[in-house]
């Protein structure tokens, strides 16, 4: 995503991505809405034409939620 370029070669870049995420957090968007808006921003940056493959992963972390223990693992059916 940070390597997305305009026709003039201007990168989307880490600074623009960091600014985008900071604003999304301040606006308290949900994770899916943040991802939707990020994809839209990347496409807009590239004049609505993907020029390469793109990968984005958004992790929603919930502090204090704890880690799953051995009793939380569900075995696949036999």
């Amino acid at each position: 995503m940070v390597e997305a370029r305009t026709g003039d070669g201007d990168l989307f870049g880490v600074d623009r991505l960091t600014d985008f995420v900071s604003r999304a957090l301040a606006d308290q968007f949900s994770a899916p809405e943040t991802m939707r808006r990020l994809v839209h921003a990347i496409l807009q940056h590239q004049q609505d034409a993907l020029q390469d493959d793109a990968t984005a992963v958004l992790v929603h972390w919930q502090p204090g939620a704890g880690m799953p223990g051995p009793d939380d693992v569900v075995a696949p059916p036999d």
Side-chain angles (χ1 to χ4, degrees):
M1 293 294 213
V2 297
E3 295 175 353
R5 295 178 187 268
T6 63
D8 296 334
D10 180 35
L11 289 173
F12 191 78
V14 173
D15 290 341
R16 193 172 277 134
L17 177 62
T18 301
D19 181 57
F20 177 89
V21 172
S22 295
R23 285 184 281 121
L25 286 171
D27 292 339
Q28 298 182 346
F29 293 136
S30 66
E33 180 62 14
T34 299
M35 182 61 78
R36 187 190 73 74
R37 288 174 181 247
L38 176 59
V39 169
H40 180 75
I42 295 291
L43 284 171
Q44 187 175 29
H45 184 75
Q46 295 188 126
Q47 292 81 37
D48 291 324
L50 284 177
Q51 300 164 0
D52 199 352
D53 62 331
T55 301
V57 175
L58 182 65
V59 177
H60 182 101
W61 175 59
Q62 294 178 315
M67 296 294 293
D71 295 334
D72 296 323
V73 176
V74 177
D78 292 329

